[in-house]
């Protein structure tokens, strides 16, 4: 195996494989710690993971029923599922990444623990939880609401992967910005409130007039959600506002930006409060 | 072996640079324990953190071929909402210990610290003495070439102090310590050479008493 000598962080001389093993050990340790703090000892937190999206789906479904809204071809529960689960994943991941530094401050006194490990641990945890809740909720809803099939499963996987990369990138950017701007949380809270209504959670892009649809389609979360929904329809023609190229570029650029910001700031993030 | 090569470290205070190290090149002598002296604010803790890889110099390099512990202080490094057991498991996992080793370390620390049922309670419920005991016990459970100690020896009641001294001395047979403390007696007992941090320079004194004299002046 080729061994690459890497002078890591002006500190110890180590081989590349040793460094990778250390990253994996730290991310695993942080992953365990995240599970312990988030999902504690009670059974309630585990059940809440599944109950929460089902609760929102049920709430919106009953609203739609009483308002007499029509969601086109898709059965309503599936329509809401494909809006709520991805959006909650997106929002939860980014918000938890945004305060990763303040939650992990005490653990940063170990040399091996770096911010990027904490961010990755959170993203991996949220992704795992989200995939499992999506599968369980889908099974429940398919049981209740027969009459829909997945026609393009790979498109779902692609859209979800792009969403994951997007969350990682924006999460990294916000993690680093929150170190410098302490009240960033309040701002992101407001932004997510707005995004909840403009990300296609409970409407479809075709529900809007052309002008508004054009502006709303710049939202990458909307793109991902609409791609997931399109995978349940048989026709291959997509709405003209959807662009896989846009979604992919947005995700990759945000990841690159997040990594670049992390790379330049990684030494500053560790500093004592005294020296800030 | 730990080597500093042209290391400069400063803090920016308003428009003024407060230098802790100014273009310092220094090698820690092999096989000796080092005590770091310096007045308050001279940068001893920062220096220790740099040795531990937690902070980086503004320029220059710190190179090490020995394994170095994290700075062992009173309670830093513990997640308050987790129990001692969970925190110790975390530290073991970071150092890539497998399950068997992790269990051994957890048993070792729980025997050593003797805090009974508190071991499975969140660390934020501990007194500072208990935290210090766990921290000290945890660091002693590992084998590093250099231990960084930040003013933490001497925690606990007399019987615990005796027990920890015994363990500490046993560790010193195989490892060295780099210690920051304000207690001259502690320093004299544990370190071989003294290093004084003053005005951005490091001066090494083979004789502890000499170092103490310079420090006091």
């Amino acid at each position: 195996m080729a061994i690459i000598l890497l002078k890591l962080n002006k500190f110890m001389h180590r081989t590349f494989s040793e460094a990778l093993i250390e990253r994996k050990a730290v991310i695993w340790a942080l992953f365990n710690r995240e599970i312990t703090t988030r999902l504690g000892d009670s059974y309630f937190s585990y059940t809440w993971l599944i109950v929460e999206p089902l609760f929102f789906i049920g709430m919106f479904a009953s609203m739609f029923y009483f308002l007499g809204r029509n969601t086109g071809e898709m059965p309503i529960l599936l329509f809401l599922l494909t809006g709520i689960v991805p959006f909650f994943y997106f929002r939860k991941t980014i918000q938890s990444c945004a305060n990763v530094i303040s939650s992990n401050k005490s653990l940063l006194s170990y040399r091996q623990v770096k911010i990027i490990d904490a961010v990755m641990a959170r993203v991996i945890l949220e992704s795992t939880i989200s995939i499992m809740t999506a599968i369980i909720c889908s099974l429940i809803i398919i049981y209740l609401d027969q009459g829909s099939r997945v026609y393009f499963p790979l498109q779902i996987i692609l859209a979800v992967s792009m969403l994951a990369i997007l969350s990682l990138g924006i999460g990294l950017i916000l993690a680093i910005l929150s170190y410098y701007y302490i009240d960033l949380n309040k701002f992101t809270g407001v932004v997510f409130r707005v995004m909840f209504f403009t990300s296609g959670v409970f409407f479809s892009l075709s529900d809007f007039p052309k002008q508004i649809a054009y502006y709303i389609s710049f939202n990458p979360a909307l793109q991902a959600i609409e791609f997931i929904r399109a995978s349940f329809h048989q026709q291959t023609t997509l709405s003209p506002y959807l662009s896989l190229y846009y979604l992919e570029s947005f995700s990759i650029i945000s990841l690159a930006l997040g990594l670049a910001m992390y790379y330049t700031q990684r030494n500053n993030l560790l500093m004592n409060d005294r020296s800030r | 072996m730990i080597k500093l090569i042209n290391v400069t470290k400063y803090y920016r205070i308003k428009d003024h640079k407060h230098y802790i190290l100014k273009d310092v090149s220094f090698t820690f002598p092999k096989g000796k324990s080092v005590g770091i002296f310096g007045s308050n604010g001279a940068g001893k803790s920062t220096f220790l953190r740099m040795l531990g890889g937690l902070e980086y110099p503004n320029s220059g390099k710190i190179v090490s071929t020995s394994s170095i512990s994290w700075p062992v202080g009173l309670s830093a490094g513990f997640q308050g909402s987790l129990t001692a057991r969970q925190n110790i498991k975390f530290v073991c996992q970071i150092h890539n210990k497998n399950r068997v080793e992790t269990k051994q370390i957890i048993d070792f620390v729980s025997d050593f610290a003797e805090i009974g049922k508190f071991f499975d309670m969140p660390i934020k419920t501990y007194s500072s003495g208990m935290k210090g005991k766990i921290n000290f016990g945890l660091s002693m459970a590992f084998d590093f070439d250099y231990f960084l100690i930040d003013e933490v020896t001497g925690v606990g009641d007399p019987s615990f102090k005796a027990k920890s001294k015994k363990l500490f001395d046993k560790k010193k047979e195989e490892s060295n310590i780099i210690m920051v403390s304000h207690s001259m007696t502690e320093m004299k007992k544990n370190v071989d050479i003294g290093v004084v941090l003053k005005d951005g320079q490091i001066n090494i004194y083979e004789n502890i008493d000499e170092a103490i004299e310079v420090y006091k002046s």
Side-chain angles (χ1 to χ4, degrees):
Chain A
M1 178 163 58
I3 299 178
I4 308 168
L5 265 169
L6 212 65
K7 282 207 193 115
L8 276 146
N9 295 328
K10 310 171 189 172
F11 196 61
M12 287 189 187
H13 293 268
R14 273 185 307 187
T15 63
F16 188 60
S17 49
E18 284 176 7
L20 274 184
I21 291 175
E22 187 186 89
R23 289 295 109 230
K24 171 249 168 201
V26 175
I27 293 181
W28 178 244
L30 283 167
F31 183 74
N32 275 328
R33 164 245 185 279
E34 288 290 334
I35 289 186
T36 315
T37 36
R38 259 196 75 185
L39 300 180
D41 294 322
S42 64
Y43 288 118
F44 177 71
S45 33
Y46 290 96
T47 47
W48 179 246
L49 291 178
I50 304 178
V51 166
E52 188 187 10
L54 288 177
F55 170 73
F56 274 93
I57 293 174
M59 191 174 77
F60 280 111
S62 21
M63 267 170 46
F64 280 22
Y65 179 70
F66 288 118
L67 292 176
R69 276 205 55 186
N70 186 12
T71 55
E73 304 162 347
M74 267 177 106
I76 180 143
L77 289 180
L78 191 62
F79 179 83
L80 289 171
L81 175 76
T82 52
I84 284 181
V85 170
F87 181 76
F88 276 24
Y89 163 68
F90 178 65
R91 180 177 66 179
K92 195 73 202 289
T93 309
I94 293 182
Q95 283 185 331
S96 72
C97 286
N99 51 26
V100 72
I101 296 182
S102 49
S103 330
N104 283 317
K105 246 201 161 59
S106 48
L107 298 178
L108 290 177
S109 51
Y110 299 102
R111 165 179 27 97
Q112 294 89 337
V113 178
K114 309 278 181 198
I115 297 293
I116 193 147
D117 301 320
V119 169
M120 293 241 50
R122 288 200 172 185
V123 171
I124 292 174
L125 177 65
E126 292 297 337
S127 309
T128 322
I129 291 178
S130 195
I131 289 176
M132 294 205 304
T133 46
I135 292 176
I136 294 180
C137 291
S138 311
L139 292 175
I140 293 179
I141 283 177
I142 287 177
Y143 174 72
L144 292 176
D145 206 3
Q146 264 95 353
S148 50
R149 272 188 56 188
V150 180
Y151 289 95
F152 300 105
L154 288 183
Q155 193 169 296
I156 295 185
I157 296 177
L158 181 61
V160 168
S161 318
M162 286 302 122
L163 199 61
I165 295 176
L166 185 70
S167 314
L168 176 59
I170 298 185
L172 263 178
I173 295 175
L174 287 187
I176 296 170
L177 283 181
S178 329
Y179 180 75
Y180 293 103
Y181 300 105
I182 305 189
D183 287 329
L184 195 65
N185 278 338
K186 308 198 172 89
F187 178 69
T188 53
V190 171
V191 170
F192 276 115
R193 280 268 150 263
V194 172
M195 279 191 74
F196 182 70
F197 293 101
T198 60
S199 295
V201 176
F202 45 85
F203 62 81
S204 177
L205 204 48
S206 48
D207 291 343
F208 276 88
K210 276 198 186 150
Q211 199 51 11
I212 300 183
Y214 173 69
Y215 285 113
I216 292 188
S217 69
F218 277 96
N219 181 354
L222 177 81
Q223 299 273 339
I225 289 176
E226 284 295 317
F227 271 113
I228 295 176
R229 286 198 182 131
S231 321
F232 289 90
H233 297 148
Q234 199 171 11
Q235 67 262 36
T236 53
T237 49
L238 296 169
S239 159
Y241 299 103
L242 295 184
S243 162
L244 206 51
Y245 182 63
Y246 176 75
L247 179 60
E248 289 169 352
S249 316
F250 202 107
S251 311
I252 294 179
I253 290 177
S254 63
L255 181 63
L257 197 60
L259 289 174
M261 283 178 72
Y262 172 75
Y263 187 75
T264 51
Q265 297 301 315
R266 68 194 196 285
N267 292 343
N268 299 338
L269 294 175
L270 304 173
M271 288 216 286
N272 247 336
D273 277 327
R274 257 195 290 173
S275 45
R276 265 229 244 168
Chain B
M1 179 273 299
I2 307 180
K3 214 191 307 195
L4 283 83
I5 304 175
N6 293 104
V7 168
T8 303
K9 177 78 179 167
Y10 57 81
Y11 285 149
R12 223 175 277 262
I13 304 194
K14 296 273 170 106
D15 295 320
H16 163 68
K17 284 184 185 170
H18 174 68
Y19 279 94
I20 294 172
L21 292 174
K22 203 163 184 174
D23 202 21
V24 165
S25 293
F26 179 72
T27 307
F28 281 85
K30 240 180 144 98
K32 298 236 168 123
S33 292
V34 181
I36 301 183
F37 297 88
S39 50
N40 286 330
K44 303 189 292 298
S45 291
T46 310
F47 186 51
L48 218 58
R49 284 168 64 91
M50 282 204 289
L51 291 175
L54 298 177
E55 288 202 36
Y56 300 107
N58 294 96
S59 70
K61 286 204 293 238
I62 300 181
V63 170
S64 162
T65 53
S66 327
S67 60
I68 306 183
S69 77
W70 65 92
V72 182
L74 273 174
S75 69
F78 285 149
Q79 174 79 26
S81 51
L82 296 177
T83 68
R85 190 183 298 270
Q86 290 162 340
N87 269 298
I88 295 172
K89 189 165 159 223
F90 178 80
V91 178
C92 292
Q93 283 179 325
I94 297 182
H95 289 90
N96 208 18
K97 302 275 181 203
N98 57 36
R99 283 200 154 191
V100 174
E101 290 170 337
T102 306
K103 185 162 191 322
Q104 284 173 348
I105 292 178
I106 292 180
D107 292 335
F108 171 79
V109 178
S110 68
D111 287 332
F112 181 76
E114 285 172 358
I115 55 175
K117 289 277 186 283
F118 274 95
F119 200 68
D120 285 303
M121 299 265 296
I123 288 204
K124 58 185 173 201
T125 60
Y126 293 6
S127 65
S128 61
M130 285 192 211
K131 287 186 211 171
K133 281 200 229 176
I134 294 275
N135 211 342
F136 186 72
L138 180 56
S139 57
M140 291 291 112
F142 288 85
D143 291 314
F144 293 110
D145 292 329
Y146 279 98
F147 281 88
L148 304 176
I149 313 267
D150 199 346
E151 314 196 35
V152 84
T153 54
V155 173
D157 52 26
S159 69
F160 184 79
K161 272 197 176 131
K163 199 167 59 151
S164 59
K165 182 163 177 22
K166 226 175 76 179
L167 183 60
F168 197 53
D169 291 335
K170 186 153 155 282
K171 269 289 167 191
K172 279 191 60 185
E173 289 166 19
E174 291 146 9
S175 319
N176 297 307
I177 59 169
I178 300 178
M179 191 162 157
V180 166
S181 176
H182 283 291
S183 155
M184 295 301 120
T185 44
E186 284 296 323
M187 291 285 236
K188 266 188 142 142
K189 269 191 288 182
N190 292 315
V191 307
D192 306 318
I193 59 177
V195 151
V196 177
L197 204 57
K198 201 168 179 169
D199 301 326
Q201 292 303 322
I202 288 190
N203 294 307
I204 179 172
Y205 298 96
E206 292 288 328
N207 189 348
I208 284 285
D209 297 307
E210 233 184 287
I212 295 181
E213 284 307 311
V214 174
Y215 164 55
K216 283 200 179 142
S217 67

